[in-house]
Amino acid sequence: MTNSPPLVELADVSLEGRVSLQLNLLQDALANARYLVGEGADPKLIYDILDRIEFLPSLIASAGREESQLFYETIIGLADANPTFNATAEKARILSTEPI
């Protein structure tokens, strides 16, 4: 993980824009999980991944800075579960409101 400053300050992005960015990341995460299922990944891994992301829509709906940060941290943490999520995690790092 890097300690570099964010490339995009979410304070400068409209609420609609932030929601759109977060929904795109969620879609990426779900597509990655589906890919792992297709590859015959361990069901416990899939369970863990889905368990991590099931609450993300409520964080998107909350639209607060702390909720947004938790959203990005959760997406970034998916790369710890499986490298399939590395590209999605990198997008989240770029959009994160705090250095991670």
Side-chain angles (χ1 to χ4, degrees):
M1 295 195 182
T2 65
N3 287 326
S4 59
L7 298 178
V8 175
E9 289 290 339
L10 285 183
D12 298 333
V13 177
S14 69
L15 176 59
E16 182 179 299
R18 182 172 30 190
V19 167
S20 179
L21 292 168
Q22 291 174 343
L23 287 173
N24 286 330
L25 284 172
L26 179 57
Q27 182 180 15
D28 283 354
L30 290 169
N32 288 333
R34 182 181 62 221
Y35 169 79
L36 290 172
V37 169
E39 291 294 306
D42 181 353
K44 290 180 182 181
L45 172 66
I46 303 303
Y47 177 89
D48 178 56
I49 289 166
L50 293 175
D51 189 53
R52 292 180 188 211
I53 63 176
E54 75 174 303
F55 77 104
L56 294 180
S58 64
L59 293 178
I60 294 170
S62 296
R65 181 183 170 117
E66 289 179 18
E67 290 84 3
S68 289
Q69 188 59 27
L70 181 55
F71 175 91
Y72 294 117
E73 289 171 0
T74 301
I75 294 288
I76 292 166
L78 292 173
D80 295 335
N82 190 284
T84 301
F85 293 89
N86 285 346
T88 304
E90 186 56 32
K91 290 177 191 175
R93 278 188 194 92
I94 291 168
L95 296 170
S96 178
T97 59
E98 298 291 334
I100 294 183

